[in-house]
Amino acid sequence: TFGGKDAEAATFERNTTYADGRYSFVGSPVASNASITGSDLGNIVFSYDETADYGIDGIARWKNAASDQLTVGIGYAQAFQEMISFAGVANSGTVTVDVTHTTGAATLSANRGWNLVSNPYPAAIEADEFLQLAGAGSNDNTNDQVIDGAIYLWDDGGSDEARGNNGDYLTWKAVG
Protein backbone atom coordinates (compact mmCIF):
# COMPACT_ATOMS: atom_id res chain seq x y z
CA THR A 1 0.00 0.00 0.00
CA PHE A 2 1.32 3.45 -0.90
CA GLY A 3 0.50 6.31 1.46
CA GLY A 4 -2.01 6.34 4.28
CA LYS A 5 -1.55 5.52 7.94
CA ASP A 6 -0.37 1.95 7.26
CA ALA A 7 2.22 2.97 4.68
CA GLU A 8 5.67 1.49 4.93
CA ALA A 9 8.94 2.99 3.80
CA ALA A 10 10.40 1.74 0.54
CA THR A 11 13.27 2.66 -1.75
CA PHE A 12 12.59 4.06 -5.22
CA GLU A 13 15.24 4.52 -7.86
CA ARG A 14 15.23 7.01 -10.71
CA ASN A 15 17.53 6.78 -13.70
CA THR A 16 18.20 10.30 -14.95
CA THR A 17 19.88 8.95 -18.10
CA TYR A 18 22.93 11.19 -17.69
CA ALA A 19 26.06 10.98 -15.56
CA ASP A 20 28.18 13.08 -17.90
CA GLY A 21 27.22 16.62 -16.87
CA ARG A 22 23.96 17.03 -18.77
CA TYR A 23 21.06 18.19 -16.65
CA SER A 24 17.95 16.28 -15.66
CA PHE A 25 14.89 17.66 -13.90
CA VAL A 26 13.78 15.46 -11.01
CA GLY A 27 11.63 15.51 -7.89
CA SER A 28 11.07 13.30 -4.88
CA PRO A 29 8.46 10.51 -5.03
CA VAL A 30 8.48 10.13 -1.22
CA ALA A 31 7.09 12.23 1.63
CA SER A 32 9.24 15.19 2.62
CA ASN A 33 11.49 14.86 5.62
CA ALA A 34 14.62 16.64 6.78
CA SER A 35 16.88 13.76 5.76
CA ILE A 36 16.01 14.06 2.06
CA THR A 37 18.00 16.99 0.66
CA GLY A 38 19.31 18.24 -2.64
CA SER A 39 22.61 16.47 -2.01
CA ASP A 40 20.73 13.19 -2.53
CA LEU A 41 20.34 14.26 -6.16
CA GLY A 42 24.07 14.75 -6.75
CA ASN A 43 26.80 17.34 -6.39
CA ILE A 44 25.18 19.92 -8.68
CA VAL A 45 21.58 20.69 -7.74
CA PHE A 46 19.48 23.79 -8.39
CA SER A 47 15.96 24.91 -7.65
CA TYR A 48 14.16 27.49 -9.77
CA ASP A 49 12.87 30.69 -8.15
CA GLU A 50 10.34 32.35 -10.46
CA THR A 51 9.98 35.26 -8.01
CA ALA A 52 13.63 36.33 -8.46
CA ASP A 53 14.36 39.06 -11.01
CA TYR A 54 15.04 37.43 -14.36
CA GLY A 55 18.13 39.55 -14.98
CA ILE A 56 20.11 39.61 -18.20
CA ASP A 57 20.15 35.85 -18.83
CA GLY A 58 17.82 34.23 -16.27
CA ILE A 59 20.66 32.59 -14.33
CA ALA A 60 19.76 34.51 -11.14
CA ARG A 61 16.59 32.43 -10.85
CA TRP A 62 18.55 29.20 -10.41
CA LYS A 63 19.44 28.71 -6.73
CA ASN A 64 21.90 26.23 -5.25
CA ALA A 65 19.70 23.61 -3.56
CA ALA A 66 22.31 21.07 -2.48
CA SER A 67 21.50 21.53 1.21
CA ASP A 68 17.76 22.26 0.84
CA GLN A 69 15.15 19.81 2.06
CA LEU A 70 13.36 18.51 -1.04
CA THR A 71 9.75 19.66 -1.35
CA VAL A 72 7.19 17.25 -2.79
CA GLY A 73 6.02 18.35 -6.24
CA ILE A 74 8.88 20.79 -6.78
CA GLY A 75 11.35 20.04 -9.55
CA TYR A 76 15.11 20.30 -9.24
CA ALA A 77 17.84 20.48 -11.88
CA GLN A 78 20.72 18.09 -11.24
CA ALA A 79 23.80 16.86 -13.07
CA PHE A 80 26.53 14.23 -12.80
CA GLN A 81 24.46 11.55 -11.04
CA GLU A 82 22.61 9.02 -13.17
CA MET A 83 21.00 6.80 -10.51
CA ILE A 84 19.12 8.48 -7.67
CA SER A 85 17.57 6.60 -4.75
CA PHE A 86 14.77 7.86 -2.54
CA ALA A 87 13.91 6.06 0.69
CA GLY A 88 10.67 6.82 2.51
CA VAL A 89 6.91 6.58 2.32
CA ALA A 90 5.61 6.97 -1.24
CA ASN A 91 3.49 10.03 -1.95
CA SER A 92 -0.14 9.26 -2.69
CA GLY A 93 -3.41 11.13 -3.02
CA THR A 94 -3.60 14.75 -4.04
CA VAL A 95 -0.37 16.74 -3.97
CA THR A 96 -0.81 20.50 -4.11
CA VAL A 97 2.03 22.71 -5.31
CA ASP A 98 1.86 26.47 -4.91
CA VAL A 99 3.04 28.16 -8.09
CA THR A 100 3.86 31.81 -8.65
CA HIS A 101 3.39 34.31 -11.43
CA THR A 102 5.49 37.34 -10.59
CA THR A 103 4.69 40.69 -12.14
CA GLY A 104 6.70 43.87 -12.13
CA ALA A 105 8.56 46.28 -14.34
CA ALA A 106 11.89 44.46 -13.96
CA THR A 107 10.48 41.20 -15.30
CA LEU A 108 9.61 40.83 -18.97
CA SER A 109 6.15 39.31 -19.42
CA ALA A 110 7.58 36.42 -21.49
CA ASN A 111 9.71 35.41 -18.49
CA ARG A 112 6.92 35.41 -15.91
CA GLY A 113 5.02 32.50 -14.47
CA TRP A 114 7.37 29.62 -15.28
CA ASN A 115 7.53 27.11 -12.42
CA LEU A 116 9.55 23.89 -12.19
CA VAL A 117 7.29 21.14 -10.86
CA SER A 118 7.83 17.39 -10.76
CA ASN A 119 5.87 14.19 -10.70
CA PRO A 120 5.50 13.59 -6.94
CA TYR A 121 4.63 9.90 -7.31
CA PRO A 122 6.76 6.78 -7.83
CA ALA A 123 4.70 5.92 -10.95
CA ALA A 124 3.99 7.86 -14.13
CA ILE A 125 1.03 10.24 -14.29
CA GLU A 126 -1.29 10.97 -17.21
CA ALA A 127 -0.37 14.34 -18.71
CA ASP A 128 -3.92 15.10 -19.89
CA GLU A 129 -5.32 14.34 -16.42
CA PHE A 130 -2.66 16.57 -14.85
CA LEU A 131 -3.59 19.44 -17.16
CA GLN A 132 -7.28 19.02 -16.35
CA LEU A 133 -6.67 18.90 -12.59
CA ALA A 134 -4.19 21.77 -12.79
CA GLY A 135 -6.93 24.01 -14.12
CA ALA A 136 -6.09 24.22 -17.79
CA GLY A 137 -9.48 24.92 -19.32
CA SER A 138 -11.38 23.98 -16.18
CA ASN A 139 -12.47 25.46 -12.87
CA ASP A 140 -10.51 22.97 -10.74
CA ASN A 141 -7.66 25.34 -9.97
CA THR A 142 -8.25 27.01 -6.63
CA ASN A 143 -5.16 29.24 -6.58
CA ASP A 144 -6.01 31.47 -9.54
CA GLN A 145 -2.83 30.14 -11.13
CA VAL A 146 -3.72 28.65 -14.49
CA ILE A 147 -1.60 26.14 -16.34
CA ASP A 148 -1.69 27.36 -19.94
CA GLY A 149 -2.79 24.04 -21.45
CA ALA A 150 0.67 22.59 -22.01
CA ILE A 151 3.52 21.00 -20.13
CA TYR A 152 7.14 21.40 -21.14
CA LEU A 153 9.45 18.43 -20.74
CA TRP A 154 13.21 18.90 -20.61
CA ASP A 155 15.10 17.00 -23.31
CA ASP A 156 18.75 17.80 -22.71
CA GLY A 157 20.42 18.20 -26.04
CA GLY A 158 23.88 18.90 -24.69
CA SER A 159 24.05 21.18 -21.63
CA ASP A 160 27.36 19.50 -20.85
CA GLU A 161 28.77 21.26 -23.92
CA ALA A 162 26.97 24.61 -23.77
CA ARG A 163 24.15 26.28 -21.92
CA GLY A 164 20.73 24.82 -22.71
CA ASN A 165 17.98 26.90 -24.25
CA ASN A 166 14.22 26.90 -24.78
CA GLY A 167 14.66 24.56 -27.74
CA ASP A 168 15.58 21.81 -25.26
CA TYR A 169 11.94 21.50 -24.14
CA LEU A 170 9.36 19.19 -25.67
CA THR A 171 5.83 20.61 -25.53
CA TRP A 172 2.86 18.38 -24.78
CA LYS A 173 -0.70 19.66 -25.14
CA ALA A 174 -3.95 17.84 -24.51
CA VAL A 175 -4.76 18.15 -28.22
CA GLY A 176 -1.74 16.00 -29.07
Side-chain angles (χ1 to χ4, degrees):
T1 302
F2 291 121
K5 71 175 192 168
D6 297 326
E8 294 184 24
T11 299
F12 302 94
E13 291 188 341
R14 295 273 166 95
N15 182 337
T16 69
T17 308
Y18 305 115
D20 60 3
R22 290 185 272 181
Y23 281 92
S24 293
F25 291 159
V26 298
S28 176
V30 299
S32 290
N33 69 63
S35 68
I36 302 173
T37 65
S39 63
D40 294 322
L41 304 178
N43 293 330
I44 297 177
V45 181
F46 296 98
S47 62
Y48 185 77
D49 182 3
E50 187 274 340
T51 65
D53 185 28
Y54 187 79
I56 294 172
D57 58 9
I59 296 294
R61 288 187 170 179
W62 293 98
K63 308 295 182 185
N64 184 333
S67 61
D68 294 355
Q69 178 178 329
L70 298 186
T71 302
V72 173
I74 298 297
Y76 299 87
Q78 64 80 240
F80 291 109
Q81 186 162 328
E82 186 173 1
M83 290 302 294
I84 301 171
S85 292
F86 298 93
V89 176
N91 295 316
S92 65
T94 301
V95 173
T96 301
V97 176
D98 292 326
V99 296
T100 59
H101 190 112
T102 303
T103 60
T107 305
L108 299 173
S109 63
N111 300 324
R112 296 180 186 154
W114 297 102
N115 288 260
L116 183 57
V117 297
S118 70
N119 176 359
Y121 307 108
I125 57 176
E126 292 285 336
D128 56 346
E129 187 173 332
F130 168 77
L131 288 172
Q132 179 183 11
L133 294 173
S138 75
N139 294 321
D140 293 339
N141 192 327
T142 60
N143 294 334
D144 295 329
Q145 301 293 329
V146 177
I147 305 295
D148 71 358
I151 57 174
Y152 301 89
L153 306 167
W154 177 256
D155 181 28
D156 191 326
S159 63
D160 59 327
E161 298 171 7
R163 182 169 175 215
N165 60 52
N166 289 343
D168 291 331
Y169 291 91
L170 303 172
T171 304
W172 190 92
K173 296 182 177 191
V175 295

